[in-house]
Amino acid sequence: MKVRKYLPVIILAYVLFFMIAFVTGLQNPLGVIVKSQYGVSMGVAQLGNFANFIAYAFMGIPAGLMLKKYGYKFSLLVAVTVGILGLGLMFFSGQISRGLWLYFLGAFVAGFSMCMLNTVVNPLLNSIGGGGNKGNQLIQWGGSLNSLAATIVPFVVGFLMGRSVGRQFIDGRPHFEIADVNPMFIILIAIFAVSILAILFINVPETEKVGDTKEAFHQLIAKDGNYNCFSFRHFKLGAIAVFLYTGVEVSIANMTNIYLIHEVGVDPRSVGVIIAIYWFCMFLGRIVGGSLGSKFSSRDMLQFSSMMAIIFILITIFTPEKINIEIGRYSLGNIPVNVIFLVLTGLFTSVMWGNIYNLSVEGLGKYTSTATGFFMMMVCGGGIIPAVQGLFADLVGCRMSFWIIIACLGFLMYYGSNGYRNVNRNIPVE
């Protein structure tokens, strides 16, 4: 299949790649707004992020079955339409006085959309590239846009929040409301609306064979003789690892945001820049990790990145908050220097997903596709771990709550040192 022939589809897929990360990343700064507007705890403030990611657990399998039954074009139309509904609910939650649960519902519905888009866009680009290196290259370029969107989100929301600073204060702190970011919701809904028109008129290649959903579901849950992907110890441990990893990646950004705004009192515009740097570090880490991937094994990279992330977070916990960032004669205000180490963890968390995936599916053979589908469900860790950390932060404070993240990274380090080993080589995989 010639890539140039489907250039409009590729561009559309890249726009949707960008939107996946942008809409998902929204739940981080919106959690700060929810805490301010409704006066809820840090744990409750994380429920929007929780709802967005837990949707993957509900929609992972149905999204795959829908793609199998109806193909790319129909699945894209459904995914984008659901995305408009989710964003619309979040928008309207800011228009009513008691819109907290409407916001949570919107985040959950938006999570459905992001899960469906992930399920469709990745195999679509891979098939257009004809699989192999070219297909992987198209996906990697899309992944770069994904990281770029995650970098931009804190800037945009931080700027919109910053406009309200000085307008209204409660207990000496600036007050924020969901309505402050209405312009962003309108733009995102408009992009999705234009995407629907593009999907309708662009020739989307249906390279995947459309089949019977009953047969596909049977293949997903049934055992082949006495075995399935869950018969492999290293895969089960890998599924736990990717659940924890997704939580670590999101939690670091989320709790840093809340920590700086609500405990330290940093201007949200400055916080937006800091969180954006974290995601940019992940972008850089993926570039470096990709170039070194052929020189170092997945297990070594996972062990090293986990160890470095643990060290940096320990420095964050034990460095006094009163030490602020200064460059020569200049100071960046009341931003604690320990935040630098939180931001730099992005260099190491960035490479973990690929390493965990490679180790988890090694030696699975014909069970690989089923295992990959289950991985999509385990992305829900990105909602559960931040919620757990938020509840812990209510008890011990934001900085001390990072012991939760250290525990997760400890498991990842174990997986890279021993848990990855395939101890079930007697199971036939051909």
Side-chain angles (χ1 to χ4, degrees):
M1 183 180 297
K2 295 182 178 181
V3 172
R4 289 185 180 180
K5 178 181 178 182
Y6 293 105
L7 185 60
V9 184
I10 295 173
I11 294 174
L12 173 64
Y14 285 166
V15 170
L16 295 177
F17 248 122
F18 184 92
M19 291 292 284
I20 290 170
F22 201 101
V23 174
T24 301
L26 275 180
Q27 309 315 317
N28 178 352
L30 285 178
V32 176
I33 295 177
V34 166
K35 177 173 174 55
S36 176
Q37 180 172 349
Y38 297 102
V40 297
S41 68
M42 285 180 280
V44 174
Q46 292 298 313
L47 287 181
N49 182 73
F50 173 83
N52 190 259
F53 276 97
I54 202 66
Y56 279 78
F58 290 93
M59 200 61 201
I61 292 176
L65 296 177
M66 181 175 66
L67 176 61
K68 180 72 174 178
K69 177 68 175 180
Y70 298 106
Y72 290 123
K73 190 160 192 163
F74 179 86
S75 299
L76 283 174
L77 286 171
V78 172
V80 173
T81 302
V82 172
I84 291 176
L85 176 60
L87 289 169
L89 288 172
M90 287 190 282
F91 172 82
F92 284 113
S93 73
Q95 314 307 309
I96 59 179
S97 59
R98 297 183 178 181
L100 179 60
W101 293 105
L102 187 60
Y103 160 70
F104 290 151
L105 177 61
F108 185 64
V109 173
F112 274 178
S113 173
M114 299 309 104
C115 179
M116 286 188 281
L117 285 174
N118 259 316
T119 304
V120 177
V121 172
N122 284 281
L124 174 60
L125 286 175
N126 188 57
S127 64
I128 290 175
N133 292 339
K134 190 62 178 180
N136 181 59
Q137 185 181 43
L138 291 177
I139 293 175
Q140 292 303 320
W141 284 342
S144 297
L145 287 174
N146 204 275
S147 297
L148 179 62
T151 303
I152 293 174
V153 171
F155 278 112
V156 175
V157 181
F159 170 76
L160 294 173
M161 291 170 63
R163 295 192 309 168
S164 69
V165 173
R167 184 186 67 197
Q168 183 178 359
F169 282 80
I170 295 179
D171 296 330
R173 294 185 182 276
H175 178 68
F176 308 109
E177 296 183 357
I178 294 176
D180 294 335
V181 296
N182 278 350
M184 179 196 59
F185 284 129
I186 293 172
I187 292 173
L188 294 176
I189 290 173
I191 293 174
F192 268 151
V194 172
S195 297
I196 289 179
L197 295 177
I199 295 168
L200 288 172
F201 291 102
I202 288 177
N203 178 25
V204 180
E206 299 291 352
T207 55
E208 294 293 323
K209 181 180 178 181
V210 178
D212 185 3
T213 54
K214 290 183 179 180
E215 179 183 356
F217 185 71
H218 176 75
Q219 292 175 352
L220 182 67
I221 64 173
K223 286 190 174 185
D224 181 6
N226 295 318
Y227 306 110
N228 58 21
C229 64
F230 302 107
S231 301
F232 295 84
R233 188 201 72 154
H234 73 290
F235 170 71
K236 289 185 287 188
L237 293 177
I240 296 173
V242 80
F243 174 88
L244 296 176
Y245 158 71
T246 313
V248 166
E249 176 189 307
V250 177
S251 282
I252 291 175
N254 282 16
M255 193 52 64
T256 301
N257 205 336
I258 293 176
Y259 169 57
L260 288 174
I261 291 179
H262 288 287
E263 287 198 0
V264 182
V266 180
D267 185 285
R269 286 166 290 194
S270 298
V271 175
V273 173
I274 292 170
I275 303 303
I277 293 174
Y278 167 75
W279 293 112
F280 186 70
C281 283
M282 289 198 65
F283 174 73
L284 295 178
R286 282 171 179 156
I287 293 176
V288 175
S291 64
L292 297 177
S294 61
K295 300 179 180 179
F296 298 94
S297 67
S298 294
R299 65 178 183 273
D300 289 338
M301 290 183 69
L302 181 59
Q303 287 184 73
F304 176 76
S305 59
S306 299
M307 179 184 67
M308 292 303 298
I310 288 174
I311 291 173
F312 277 26
I313 292 178
L314 284 173
I315 294 174
T316 299
I317 292 174
F318 290 107
T319 300
E321 289 180 344
K322 63 182 180 181
I323 302 178
N324 293 333
I325 300 174
E326 292 187 7
I327 303 176
R329 299 182 302 158
Y330 303 98
S331 172
L332 297 180
N334 59 338
I335 300 175
V337 70
N338 56 15
V339 172
I340 291 179
F341 296 97
L342 279 177
V343 168
L344 291 178
T345 57
L347 294 171
F348 307 106
T349 58
S350 60
V351 300
M352 292 179 180
W353 170 276
N355 295 325
I356 294 170
Y357 178 79
N358 288 340
L359 294 172
S360 299
V361 300
E362 180 69 25
L364 295 190
K366 62 184 177 181
Y367 303 109
T368 301
S369 59
T370 305
T372 302
F374 187 74
F375 257 65
M376 185 60 69
M377 294 180 61
M378 298 305 286
V379 170
C380 66
I384 296 174
I385 300 300
V388 172
Q389 187 183 7
L391 293 172
F392 193 51
D394 288 327
L395 299 174
V396 301
C398 289
R399 238 180 358 138
M400 291 298 108
S401 73
F402 277 98
W403 284 108
I404 295 286
I405 304 305
I406 289 178
C408 295
L409 290 168
F411 182 88
L412 298 184
M413 196 168 176
Y414 155 74
Y415 187 70
S417 62
N418 183 272
Y420 75 92
R421 300 181 187 277
N422 183 359
V423 297
N424 305 105
R425 296 182 180 275
N426 58 319
I427 297 178
V429 297
E430 298 300 329

